[in-house]
């Protein structure tokens, strides 16, 4: 078993990073070389802006390369809940932004010739309990009528040709997709560099200040100045950007990947070959990889730590969950086990905008793989003075009470959700 991301291990390394010290003045400095930062950098460079990307490790190192490989349209919440919390107009705008984000990815992949196994697979949200299907059906009716006709409600009988495990029905979102996250990250970085962006790896930003109308960024590789700064660091935001740290909870998300399954095993497990997520509060999500591994993840443990020891503990929990859902795979060999941090806001809605001289986009709360490139480009357009398409502009973003760095309260949150899963 390898304790590394499958996406990282099966993608080539980005070879276009600038070597040596970094210095000089830029129109825009982007902090973070994940999908958000790279999408923004490409968009800015296409417009002729002089842009530098400052990545603390390697491109795609963070959440962009440590996820389940899903590109799901629709909201993390139910649409009905979003309408109640945000109002109908913003709920629809955010839902459509997630739809548009999948279209954006597809367009970039085609335009830039990125070989990343992109496929419109459709997503199944699977009812784990009979009462969950009633809630799914009610949400489906509103979604289908008001915002997304490319959806369907599936009965347990319909699911026999989709997934080799008994569930109590599902909602199918047909626009959803999947791709190889590591290959896309490298391809997007190559595209941004080809368009003129300067990308610097291993350039952790250690200090930020403003003077004379310019931003000064001290990094591990030198000092740069910029007219504008976009913070695109998500769960890996450092303490020197405390405003964002206090509003984001870095939550561990853990994933395992089996050995490649045989054709017979694929037919017994995922004959529909879609992305799947169940309806438990502490739920699981899964899909097949391009080489027919089952990639299976979830909030195995409520932890803000991801290292080999933590990932191994979480991997054992995920193996048990995998065996419960697919008993015929209970003893299948696990080739990969990895974890990463997800940037979660208190209300689980993303945030993007401008605060105290800094542009930002983050807080994707588990839906960043699809939304991040699109929202990065949206913020790039805002920096360029183009029409504002930000679906969460001016959405209130209060700090998480008692949170100043590591979310000490996560184990209590985990206990609460475990209790809910028992009684709901």
């Amino acid at each position: 078993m390898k304790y590394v991301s499958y996406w990282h291990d099966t993608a080539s390394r980005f070879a276009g990073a600038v070597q040596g010290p970094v210095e000089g003045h830029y129109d825009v400095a982007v902090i973070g070389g994940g999908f958000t930062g790279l999408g923004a950098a490409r968009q800015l460079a296409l417009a002729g802006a002089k842009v530098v990307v400052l990545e603390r490790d390697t491109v795609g190192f963070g959440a962009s390369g440590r996820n389940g490989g899903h590109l799901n349209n629709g909201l993390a919440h139910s649409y009905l809940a979003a309408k109640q919390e945000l109002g109908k107009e913003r709920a629809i705008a955010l839902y459509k932004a997630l739809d548009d984000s999948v279209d954006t990815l597809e367009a970039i992949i085609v335009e830039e010739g990125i070989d990343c196994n992109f496929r419109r697979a459709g997503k199944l949200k699977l009812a784990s309990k009979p009462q969950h299907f009633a809630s799914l059906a009610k949400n489906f009716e509103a979604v289908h009528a008001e915002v997304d006709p490319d959806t369907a409600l599936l009965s347990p009988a319909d699911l026999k040709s989709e997934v080799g495990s008994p569930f109590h029905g599902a909602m199918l979102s047909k626009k959803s997709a999947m791709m190889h996250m590591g290959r896309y990250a490298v391809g997007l970085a190559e595209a941004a560099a080809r368009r003129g962006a300067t990308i610097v790896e291993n350039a952790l930003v250690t200090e930020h200040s403003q003077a004379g109308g310019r931003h000064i960024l001290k990094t591990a590789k030198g000092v740069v100045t910029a007219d504008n700064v976009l913070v695109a660091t998500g769960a890996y935001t450092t303490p020197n950007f405390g405003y964002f740290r206090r509003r984001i909870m870095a939550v561990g998300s853990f994933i395992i990947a089996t050995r490649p399954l045989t054709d017979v095993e694929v037919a017994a497990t995922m004959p529909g070959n879609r992305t799947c997520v169940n309806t438990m509060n502490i739920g699981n999500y899964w899909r097949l990889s391009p080489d027919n591994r089952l990639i299976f993840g979830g909030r195995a443990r409520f932890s803000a730590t991801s290292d080999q020891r933590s990932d191994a503990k979480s991997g054992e929990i995920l193996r048990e969950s995998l065996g419960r859902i697919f008993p015929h795979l209970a003893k299948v060999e696990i080739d990969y086990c990895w974890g990463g941090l997800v940037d979660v806001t208190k209300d689980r809605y993303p945030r993007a905008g401008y605060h105290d001289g800094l542009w930002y986009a983050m807080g994707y709360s588990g839906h960043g793989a699809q939304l991040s490139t699109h929202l990065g480009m949206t913020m790039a357009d805002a920096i360029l003075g183009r029409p504002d398409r930000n679906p969460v502009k001016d959405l209130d973003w209060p700090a998480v009470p008692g949170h100043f760095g590591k979310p000490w309260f996560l184990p209590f949150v985990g206990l609460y959700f475990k209790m809910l899963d028992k009684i709901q």
Side-chain angles (χ1 to χ4, degrees):
M1 185 190 303
K2 294 183 177 181
Y3 289 99
V4 297
S5 167
Y6 166 80
W7 309 121
H8 290 159
D9 196 50
T10 55
S12 60
R13 291 290 302 271
F14 173 58
V18 172
Q19 303 300 312
V22 57
E23 60 184 4
H25 180 75
Y26 294 85
D27 297 322
V28 186
V30 177
I31 306 175
F35 296 164
T36 303
L38 294 172
R42 174 182 174 273
Q43 187 80 341
L44 290 161
L46 279 168
K50 185 180 180 184
V51 56
V52 62
V53 177
L54 303 171
E55 163 56 39
R56 67 184 292 175
D57 202 283
T58 55
V59 296
F61 171 81
S64 298
R66 298 171 182 273
N67 54 68
H70 299 209
L71 303 172
N72 295 330
N73 72 312
L75 302 172
H77 315 63
S78 76
Y79 170 65
L80 291 174
K83 279 207 307 180
Q84 183 177 359
E85 295 164 1
L86 302 176
K88 184 176 181 179
E89 183 177 353
R90 194 187 289 274
I92 289 175
L94 187 52
Y95 193 107
K96 289 186 173 179
L98 281 151
D99 280 2
D100 292 343
S101 70
V102 184
D103 295 339
T104 293
L105 288 167
E106 186 172 28
I108 291 174
I109 288 165
V110 171
E111 183 177 352
E112 302 290 358
I114 301 174
D115 180 11
C116 62
N117 306 100
F118 177 91
R119 184 171 68 86
R120 294 272 187 170
K123 176 193 77 172
L124 291 173
K125 187 162 188 178
L126 297 155
S128 299
K129 297 181 180 181
Q131 60 269 35
H132 293 183
F133 183 69
S135 297
L136 275 182
K138 186 177 180 181
N139 187 62
F140 162 76
E141 290 174 2
V143 168
H144 192 77
E146 298 178 15
V147 69
D148 188 0
D150 289 332
T151 49
L153 196 65
L154 305 185
S155 69
D158 295 328
L159 291 178
K160 290 181 180 179
S161 61
E162 293 285 355
V163 58
S165 182
F167 286 91
H168 302 277
M171 177 174 166
L172 170 62
S173 300
K174 300 177 184 179
K175 297 174 185 173
S176 296
M178 60 172 68
M179 69 180 177
H180 190 297
M181 298 300 186
R183 293 173 189 163
Y184 173 72
V186 172
L188 185 59
E190 290 173 344
R194 189 164 55 245
R195 302 296 186 174
T198 298
I199 299 176
V200 189
E201 295 182 321
N202 301 305
L204 174 67
V205 175
T206 57
E207 187 176 330
H208 165 256
S209 60
Q210 298 182 61
R214 289 186 171 187
H215 296 266
I216 304 168
L217 297 167
K218 294 184 179 180
T219 80
K221 284 194 169 181
V223 179
V224 300
T225 61
D227 295 327
N228 293 278
V229 171
L230 173 65
V231 183
T233 46
Y236 296 82
T237 301
T238 52
N240 47 324
F241 295 100
Y243 174 85
F244 305 112
R245 286 262 292 191
R246 291 191 297 273
R247 287 159 173 77
I248 283 178
M249 296 171 283
V251 179
S253 187
F254 304 94
I255 306 170
I256 54 176
T258 69
R259 60 158 170 77
L261 303 182
T262 66
D263 291 344
V264 172
E265 289 170 329
V266 167
T269 306
M270 286 296 296
N273 200 6
R274 304 186 190 273
T275 64
C276 292
V277 58
N278 64 17
T279 54
M280 303 300 284
N281 288 295
I282 303 179
N284 295 107
Y285 51 87
W286 60 90
R287 56 158 287 191
L288 293 173
S289 69
D291 55 354
N292 282 340
R293 303 173 189 274
L294 188 67
I295 298 179
F296 187 92
R299 305 287 182 267
R301 296 165 62 241
F302 276 71
S303 168
T305 301
S306 175
D307 53 35
Q308 183 169 324
R309 182 178 178 183
S310 177
D311 293 354
K313 290 179 180 179
S314 299
E316 287 303 314
I317 296 171
L318 288 175
R319 177 191 277 278
E320 292 174 7
S321 298
L322 172 62
R324 286 194 298 271
I325 295 174
F326 299 110
H328 60 284
L329 296 180
K331 296 184 178 180
V332 70
E333 294 89 342
I334 306 298
D335 282 356
Y336 291 91
C337 175
W338 73 95
L341 301 179
V342 177
D343 48 330
V344 179
T345 60
K346 183 181 177 183
D347 58 10
R348 295 192 302 141
Y349 293 112
R351 294 300 196 280
Y354 184 80
H355 174 78
D356 196 22
L358 296 171
W359 300 90
Y360 63 90
M362 60 184 73
Y364 300 116
S365 304
H367 274 55
Q370 61 274 43
L371 184 59
S372 50
T373 302
H374 183 78
L375 206 51
M377 292 170 61
T378 299
M379 299 319 297
D381 284 343
I383 293 170
L384 292 166
R386 293 173 175 173
D388 194 343
R389 300 176 291 117
N390 181 4
V392 291
K393 183 179 181 180
D394 298 328
L395 181 61
D396 187 38
W397 194 11
V400 179
H403 175 45
F404 298 98
K406 287 191 175 182
W408 53 269
F409 43 80
L410 285 181
F412 301 101
V413 174
L415 288 172
Y416 171 73
F417 283 127
K418 285 181 182 179
M419 179 187 70
L420 286 183
D421 278 338
K422 288 181 180 180
I423 64 177
Q424 289 183 343

